[in-house]
Amino acid sequence: MSEMSSIQDSLQSKLDQLECHFTWGIKKEDLVLMDILNRLEEQAKMGLGGEQGVARTHCSLGYVKFLLGRNEEVFTHLLKSETLIKENLGVNCDKTLIVTYGNFAWINYHMKNYTECESYLMKLQKINETCSSEPSSVSEMLGEKGWAYLKFSRKYYDKAIEVFQKAVELDPENSEWNAGYAKALFRTETGTLCTVDSPAIKQLERAIEIDPDDDASRVLLGVKLLFCSKKLMKDSEKLIETALNGSPEHPHVIRYVGKFFRNQGSVDRSIALLKKALEKSPNSGFIHHQLAMCYKTMKINLQKEKREVNRFEINIARKQCIYYLEKATSLKASFVIAMSELALQYGEKRDLPKAEELFAQTFKTAREKNDSLHVVHYYYAEFQQYSKRREDLAIRHYTECLKMSPHTSEGDRSAKKLKNIAQRYMKDDPGDWKANEILGLIYQIKGEMFGDTKSYAATSGNEEDDESLSNLCEINLKI
């Protein structure tokens, strides 16, 4: 073995034991790098999270630049991170430098700067000697690790929860770790799992208790309460209003306030807020997607009016919806949910070949990324049911969605669609085998019993949800 190989092996062994982005299992294939780059650069530019938050952002940017092959730019971000930490914390900064120095050691190793790599390993060794615990149990490191998992990919949300929970246990009064823990729980609680005493709601309340100025957590709490129970409308509105008054320029606050108003029915107000947010974050796929959903809601509302003269308005709303979805998917190449919605809108517009092509691409992306495949099945089922009038294929894909994710919102909606289809079959023939097969499947997966055929037919109703009505109206009007 050559002397150089021996040095490399010795360094590699030490590097593998570090706590930093290079050792946290954040894989390039799980990431949409340009989307992450845009978001992190936006956060650094706007100074979100104060000096400590910006320092963490630059540390993460260094790792993203490494994954993009821009190794020389990595040092710029890591130096900025180190400078901000030292300026902010002074002599008490050692523990906060663990991740930054770990990244420094790794990038120098990759650049074959072995002397510099060894230098950073020695700095970390000195920090370790002053710590009363291992680096893996230092709250400052755990907090930064949690934020990295939260910002890089939804695939790491469960890891973010685990890490933030440990950080909060070690430092219960730390506002940043409590806020991160709350946000991670918020993002993972979906569908029927939401209750007014859910872990996310309790943790959001805790984050606000520790930091009364945390308007980002306040707006999430407002959205969450309304989602869980319409009876909490006044509480939700008060939280939303307080957050908006306290942080009228904060992009995260504006985004979720816009979503709140859309869900509440104030579409015009939501559009105004989201467009304001877009001025500050023009590369945000999230904001473009939310604007598209506003115009979709506007289109649905216009269709329900069933006025002959409003077809022009419907057409404009649909065009705006498609425009913002196309922008969202161009900014974030693997935005599966936006891609699915865009394909569905192409179907409504009667551009069936284009819709089929995009759905094929979306299925491929979802499978490659192992991301939201159940969502694609749901949208494709709607496309088959309302645009192509292939109810057999619709049933197949609603069923696939239900089997994959029974407790998500798409799983719930798939169950509802299947129930409605079964009920129509049973009107003609109460003993219809296909209808009973569908109901049996729903019972098997979700544990819901409907009683006998007559009681089910009497209680289930034959009303589709608003979204389905809009799809049906769209086809019938042939706009």
Side-chain angles (χ1 to χ4, degrees):
M1 181 182 294
S2 68
E3 182 180 353
M4 183 61 69
S5 296
S6 177
I7 292 172
Q8 287 177 302
D9 289 344
S10 175
L11 289 175
Q12 180 77 55
S13 176
K14 295 175 183 177
L15 289 165
D16 287 338
Q17 298 176 46
L18 300 183
E19 287 285 355
C20 63
H21 291 78
F22 289 82
T23 62
W24 289 339
I26 299 174
K27 301 175 183 178
K28 184 175 181 179
E29 57 266 27
D30 289 339
L31 312 178
V32 184
L33 286 174
M34 292 310 298
D35 177 61
I36 296 170
L37 179 66
N38 287 334
R39 285 191 286 108
L40 291 176
E41 287 180 339
E42 172 194 313
Q43 290 167 16
K45 182 179 179 181
M46 299 190 68
L48 298 183
E51 288 190 351
Q52 280 302 106
V54 175
R56 282 196 300 273
T57 299
H58 277 289
C59 198
S60 290
L61 274 167
Y63 185 62
V64 172
K65 292 293 179 70
F66 165 75
L67 293 177
L68 288 168
R70 305 178 191 175
N71 288 356
E72 293 295 342
E73 296 179 36
V74 175
F75 292 99
T76 302
H77 291 293
L78 295 182
L79 285 168
K80 184 66 174 176
S81 175
E82 180 184 22
T83 300
L84 286 169
I85 290 170
K86 288 182 175 180
E87 288 177 351
N88 190 41
L89 298 177
V91 295
N92 299 314
C93 69
D94 281 359
K95 292 180 182 179
T96 311
L97 285 168
I98 289 173
V99 178
T100 301
Y101 282 173
N103 283 353
F104 261 126
W106 269 97
I107 188 60
N108 276 296
Y109 175 78
H110 282 292
M111 297 285 285
K112 303 188 185 306
N113 301 328
Y114 299 129
T115 302
E116 283 297 310
C117 175
E118 185 66 47
S119 172
Y120 280 103
L121 287 171
M122 290 175 65
K123 289 180 181 182
L124 286 166
Q125 181 60 37
K126 288 182 180 179
I127 292 173
N128 292 343
E129 290 171 358
T130 64
C131 290
S132 58
S133 58
E134 292 295 314
S136 59
S137 297
V138 173
S139 67
E140 289 85 350
M141 183 285 299
L142 288 166
E144 184 156 357
K145 189 176 185 178
W147 280 113
Y149 282 143
L150 195 60
K151 291 180 179 181
F152 274 70
S153 173
R154 62 190 301 167
K155 290 186 178 181
Y156 303 136
Y157 286 173
D158 288 338
K159 289 184 178 181
I161 289 173
E162 181 182 340
V163 172
F164 275 129
Q165 185 176 23
K166 190 173 181 181
V168 168
E169 288 172 357
L170 292 169
D171 191 359
E173 301 301 316
N174 187 291
S175 60
E176 292 180 285
W177 312 155
N178 274 280
Y181 187 28
K183 183 170 285 189
L185 289 169
F186 174 88
R187 292 187 182 180
T188 53
E189 280 189 6
T190 58
T192 57
L193 298 178
C194 178
T195 60
V196 291
D197 60 350
S198 73
I201 287 178
K202 287 183 177 179
Q203 186 56 37
L204 285 165
E205 290 172 339
R206 173 65 176 152
I208 297 166
E209 177 188 352
I210 293 173
D211 181 8
D213 295 327
D214 185 359
D215 288 316
S217 291
R218 184 172 282 108
V219 74
L220 293 183
L221 180 58
V223 170
K224 192 73 172 173
L225 287 177
L226 183 63
F227 182 74
C228 290
S229 174
K230 298 296 183 183
K231 295 178 181 178
L232 297 171
M233 175 71 78
K234 288 184 179 179
D235 295 319
S236 298
E237 288 180 342
K238 185 177 180 181
L239 286 163
I240 295 294
E241 183 180 344
T242 302
L244 190 57
N245 289 337
S247 302
E249 303 297 324
H250 194 300
H252 295 163
V253 171
I254 294 173
R255 292 175 196 178
Y256 281 99
V257 170
K259 188 173 183 178
F260 173 88
F261 284 127
R262 173 170 64 82
N263 291 338
Q264 198 181 6
S266 303
V267 180
D268 290 337
R269 191 172 181 186
S270 180
I271 289 173
L273 282 168
L274 289 167
K275 285 186 175 180
K276 182 179 180 183
L278 200 60
E279 292 175 4
K280 295 182 175 295
S281 307
N283 294 320
S284 171
F286 176 87
I287 298 178
H288 281 92
H289 180 245
Q290 286 302 312
L291 273 165
M293 294 302 94
C294 285
Y295 282 107
K296 178 180 178 180
T297 301
M298 182 183 291
K299 175 173 67 71
I300 291 171
N301 292 340
L302 288 166
Q303 286 168 336
K304 285 171 33 177
E305 293 177 6
K306 297 180 180 177
R307 291 183 291 114
E308 288 293 323
V309 294
N310 74 350
R311 292 190 182 185
F312 178 72
E313 299 168 69
I314 292 170
N315 195 38
I316 290 176
R318 189 202 309 106
K319 284 182 177 179
Q320 288 290 93
C321 177
I322 290 174
Y323 168 79
Y324 284 108
L325 285 170
E326 288 176 339
K327 287 290 291 184
T329 54
S330 68
L331 288 165
K332 188 174 179 181
S334 60
F335 197 163
V336 171
I337 294 174
M339 291 169 72
S340 301
E341 183 66 68
L342 180 57
L344 186 65
Q345 294 301 320
Y346 287 151
E348 285 192 13
K349 200 175 70 166
R350 309 306 298 156
D351 194 344
L352 302 184
K354 194 170 184 179
E356 287 280 18
E357 181 182 355
L358 183 53
F359 268 122
Q361 180 186 340
T362 307
F363 270 116
K364 182 173 182 290
T365 300
R367 290 190 179 103
E368 288 176 350
K369 294 288 184 180
N370 191 25
D371 179 25
S372 302
L373 183 57
H374 69 286
V375 175
V376 190
H377 277 291
Y378 176 79
Y379 278 100
Y380 193 59
E382 284 214 323
F383 170 69
Q384 292 295 340
Q385 185 176 9
Y386 300 109
S387 295
K388 298 197 76 175
R389 300 302 179 96
R390 285 293 305 274
E391 198 162 73
D392 57 329
L393 293 179
I395 290 171
R396 182 193 303 176
H397 289 280
Y398 284 136
T399 301
E400 282 300 311
C401 176
L402 180 59
K403 287 179 178 178
M404 285 182 178
S405 298
H407 300 300
T408 61
S409 60
E410 289 80 16
D412 288 340
R413 287 154 72 189
S414 290
K416 181 179 178 182
K417 303 282 188 171
L418 290 168
K419 289 177 196 176
N420 286 331
I421 291 170
Q423 187 230 0
R424 283 194 286 101
Y425 290 171
M426 293 165 76
K427 274 189 174 180
D428 296 329
D429 179 7
D432 186 281
W433 70 268
K434 185 64 177 176
N436 282 286
E437 183 181 58
I438 291 171
L439 296 181
L441 177 70
I442 297 171
Y443 173 67
Q444 180 184 358
I445 295 174
K446 294 182 71 67
E448 296 179 7
M449 183 63 84
F450 307 107
D452 61 30
T453 303
K454 291 181 180 178
S455 64
Y456 173 71
T459 59
S460 65
N462 192 33
E463 295 245 297
E464 300 280 5
D465 59 31
D466 287 346
E467 195 170 329
S468 303
L469 280 171
S470 83
N471 293 334
L472 199 55
C473 288
E474 192 73 15
I475 303 303
N476 289 339
L477 287 171
K478 298 180 180 179
I479 296 172

